[in-house]
């Protein structure tokens, strides 16, 4: 569990490194029927920034010996999902994020909103 929490922190740093915004960590621990422990959701303002955020997350996680099992959505970079087993990371363009509203799929999940860096 400590390793998972450390990876969540690393993912947040990777997002912030490329000025990703509106980071929300949904804690799904203790909720039946979930596919992971945490959802990390954020956004970039352009497909180029979304792609840079994904690269930053992957690079920082790799330094800890963690590699995603899958990365999908890079071809158009509107919604990129990264699967780290217990952690699913979703990097969106703002309008796509608003449409899917992933962080509110589980009403009983604890949401941790990470303040944007200036």
């Amino acid at each position: 569990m400590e390793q998972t929490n450390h990876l969540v922190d690393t993912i947040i740093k990777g997002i912030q490194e490329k000025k990703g915004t509106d980071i929300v960590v949904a804690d799904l621990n203790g909720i039946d029927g979930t596919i992971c422990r945490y959802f990390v959701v954020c956004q970039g303002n352009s497909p180029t920034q979304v792609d840079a955020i994904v690269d930053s997350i992957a690079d920082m996680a790799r330094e800890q010996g963690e590699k995603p099992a899958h990365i999908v959505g890079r071809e158009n970079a509107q919604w990129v999902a990264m699967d780290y087993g217990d952690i699913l990371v979703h990097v969106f363009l703002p309008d796509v994020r608003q449409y899917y509203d992933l962080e509110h799929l589980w009403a009983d999940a604890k949401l941790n909103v990470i303040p944007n860096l200036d």
Side-chain angles (χ1 to χ4, degrees), residues 3 17 20 23 27 40 50-51 55 58 60 64 66 68 72 75 85 87 99-100 103 110 115 118:
Q3 183 177 359
E17 177 74 21
I23 304 167
D27 183 344
V40 179
V50 167
D51 205 41
D55 285 341
M60 288 190 172
Q64 293 183 3
E66 300 285 347
V72 295
E75 49 281 341
I87 306 164
Y99 179 79
Y100 287 103
E103 56 261 50
K110 291 182 282 184
D118 291 331

Side-chain angles (χ1 to χ4, degrees), residues 3-52:
Q3 183 177 359
T4 300
N5 291 336
H6 187 61
L7 182 55
V8 168
D9 291 341
T10 299
I11 289 166
I12 291 168
K13 288 177 188 165
I15 295 166
Q16 292 173 329
E17 177 74 21
K18 296 300 178 182
K19 306 217 183 321
T21 59
D22 299 326
I23 304 167
V24 175
V25 179
D27 183 344
L28 307 177
N29 285 296
I31 300 174
D32 292 336
T34 61
I35 58 174
C36 63
R37 291 183 174 186
Y38 296 97
F39 257 34
V40 179
V41 182
C42 72
Q43 64 192 42
N45 291 318
S46 68
T48 303
Q49 186 182 17
V50 167
D51 205 41

